[in-house]
Each structure stands twice: as structure tokens, then as C-alpha cells.
Amino acid sequence: MDTSKVEKFYNVLLGSTQLIKEDLDSTFIEAFIETGENILDNGHIHIEDGLPEPETRDKLKELYDSISLSELSLEEKKKAVQMILISMVKEDQLQVNHQPTPDGIGVILSYFIDLFFDRDKPLHIADLSVGSGNLLYTLFTTLFSRNKQLKLTGVDNDELLISLASTLSAMLDIPVHLMHQDALQPLLLEPADLMISDLPVGYYPKEVQSEEFQTRFEEGYSYSHFLLIEQGFKYLKESGYAFYLLPTNVFESEEVKSLLKYVHSVGHVQGIVHMPLEWFSSAKARKSLFIVQKKGADSKQVSEVLVSDVPNIKDQEAFQSFIINIKKWKKEQNI
């Protein structure tokens, strides 16, 4: 990867986004989507109601002319996108549920997926709260860029985030089927081999009926993250896996008992892996990976559920030892 190309592409994305943001008085996300569409349209600048101003158009053209997507590798584009997403979070002060999943977490997830799935065989991966799509795109970049039989599906009810996911997929040239709808409503979704999601945490703003979801609360609103896990099982193939990112404190709550009861009725809890604490602003913000499997002919409950802490990736010796222990656990559990 050529870091100079990454830096140059990032500076073009950042500079052009800021120009459009100021000229159109928009959010950073909206301006980024606009500049992304311009870049994808061979630098043709979209003009509406006389905006951007002619002076801004000249500056944008100069920026667009300085780069060529075809001369950038997937890894170089993905690195620049990661940097622009970090800027986006700061500029728009995005709420936690709208923040893109950091690439580091996606890379950790890819290590686990690589243990359970052959990266070259046909595979359908679905994310029912896809957001910006960054988690899916990190997995694609890390594991599946050469898999021509891979199918990616993302669902989200936020129009702006789906637009962002669409722009990023086109920019990175990653094929994905995006669905703009409430993921807790019936979906026209082919069964998935693998469900992944950095789940939005909070209450679902509609009351649900008992016949629709077993994880609903008896009174009032229910947890959207519990409902999404249940919905994921409905669209998962038999013996298929799901990897969910949840705040670590969810597993310490009283309410988690109802979630675990449901999961054990339809599948197996195979692991809970805590992300490196230093990646988060506080212990309260820490996230963990919840690994579950749907019941089927090729599934079984492990005798020893994996409970582990991911060490700091910068400590290569500790991280390699962690990966070796995970592989040893999987072999011993015969899964």
C-alpha cells in the first residue's frame, strides 16, 4: 500500500467535502455523499439552484483532476475512507448508533470469520443494521476481495446512512445489495450463511406483539438490539453463524437472561469476546463480540463457551498467542 496515495486521496475527499459543506450549508455526511457522487461521475460537478458557486466549482475541479480512482488499490481507497469516516464522526458529532464501526474491530471480526468459513466458497453475509456499511466493507477488503461467489446484503432504515453506504460501495467497487427499510419488518431476504452487525443499542420505538418476537418485553418498548438478534436468526440458514457487536455491559445486565433464553431455544451461544479496552473512551463504552450459531444438522453447543479478551493488537506476541489459543479452542470443541 502506497501511503502517499492514501494521504493524497484522503486530502481530496476531505478538501472537497469541506468546500461543498460550506457552500451548501450541509452536514459533513451530505457533503461527502455529494463529492463522492461527483468523483464517481468522472469529476462532473452536480449543480442545483446555482450551487456550488462558480469559484467553488473551480476548486473542486482542481481537486478531482488530481486523483484517479482506477490508479488506487482497494486497500489504499479503504484506508482513505477509514480516515474520512473518522473525520465525519468528529465534524457531525454523530451519535453512537450512527458511528461507523472502526476498521480495527472489523479486522478482529475477520480473524474469527476466517476460522469458521472458507473464504473462497459461496457465501451470503447479511447485516441488518448496516449503517455506513464500513463493517461489511472491512470484511470484504480483509477476507473476501477475491471471492467472486460472495453475496453481501445490508439493511437500514436511515436514508442518509444507506446513501452513504451506497456511495462507499461504489467508490470501493464492492458489490452489495442495500435495502432501505426497517429491518424488524418482514424482509425479502435470501437466507444468509453469516449474520454480522454492530448493533444499535436502545429501545425500538414501536410496540411489538408477542407472536412476532419472543425477546419483546411484556410492557412498553423493547430493546432493538435483542429484536435484531432474533430477526437475524429468522433469516439465517440452519447451522449458520452470527457475529454481533454489543456493549460489554449488556452481558452484565439482568435483561440479558431473556436474550440468552431465546438464543438457547433456537441456537447455541459459542463465544463472548471482549474487544481491547484501550480502543474505547471508557469501560462503559467497551464492546464485545457475541458469537452464536443457529441449530441444524451441522451444529452443536460447545462444551466450553469461549470467553476471552482481545489483547492490544500492537503487542504482536500477545495477539499471536491469542489467535493460537482461539484455534486450539475451536479444535478441542470440534466445531
Side-chain angles (χ1 to χ4, degrees), residues 248-270:
T248 303
N249 57 25
V250 165
F251 300 100
E252 301 163 358
S253 68
E254 187 68 23
E255 293 87 351
V256 78
K257 291 179 181 178
S258 65
L259 173 65
L260 295 176
K261 181 181 178 181
Y262 166 74
V263 172
H264 285 302
S265 73
V266 296
H268 315 292
V269 175
Q270 308 292 39

Side-chain angles (χ1 to χ4, degrees), residues 129-195:
S129 55
V130 72
S132 69
N134 197 52
L135 181 57
L136 269 183
Y137 304 154
T138 301
L139 295 181
F140 180 89
T141 306
T142 308
L143 288 179
F144 299 113
S145 60
R146 296 180 182 177
N147 186 340
K148 302 302 181 184
Q149 303 177 87
L150 179 73
K151 181 177 181 180
L152 302 177
T153 302
V155 184
D156 208 289
N157 66 345
D158 189 295
E159 184 176 1
L160 192 60
L161 290 179
I162 278 287
S163 294
L164 174 60
S166 178
T167 299
L168 291 178
S169 73
M171 192 175 288
L172 297 169
D173 195 22
I174 295 176
V176 60
H177 176 54
L178 296 171
M179 303 166 63
H180 177 218
Q181 74 169 94
D182 183 343
L184 293 175
Q185 299 301 313
L187 302 168
L188 287 173
L189 181 67
E190 291 181 18
D193 301 282
L194 170 64
M195 283 281 176

Side-chain angles (χ1 to χ4, degrees), residues 61-123:
K61 186 177 186 309
E62 186 177 345
L63 285 169
Y64 297 152
D65 287 346
S66 70
I67 55 112
S68 172
L69 286 180
S70 62
E71 294 177 2
L72 294 164
S73 68
L74 172 60
E75 290 75 16
E76 288 161 352
K77 288 187 289 185
K78 185 65 177 66
K79 182 65 176 178
V81 162
Q82 176 192 6
M83 294 162 66
I84 203 72
L85 290 175
I86 292 171
S87 299
M88 189 179 293
V89 171
K90 295 177 181 177
E91 289 281 341
D92 282 348
Q93 297 184 325
L94 296 178
Q95 59 150 299
V96 173
N97 282 343
H98 287 173
Q99 292 181 11
T101 307
D103 282 25
I105 289 179
V107 169
I108 294 293
L109 183 53
S110 72
Y111 277 103
F112 281 92
I113 291 173
D114 201 29
L115 285 175
F116 289 89
F117 292 91
D118 186 332
R119 64 174 71 185
D120 297 317
K121 288 188 176 179
L123 188 67

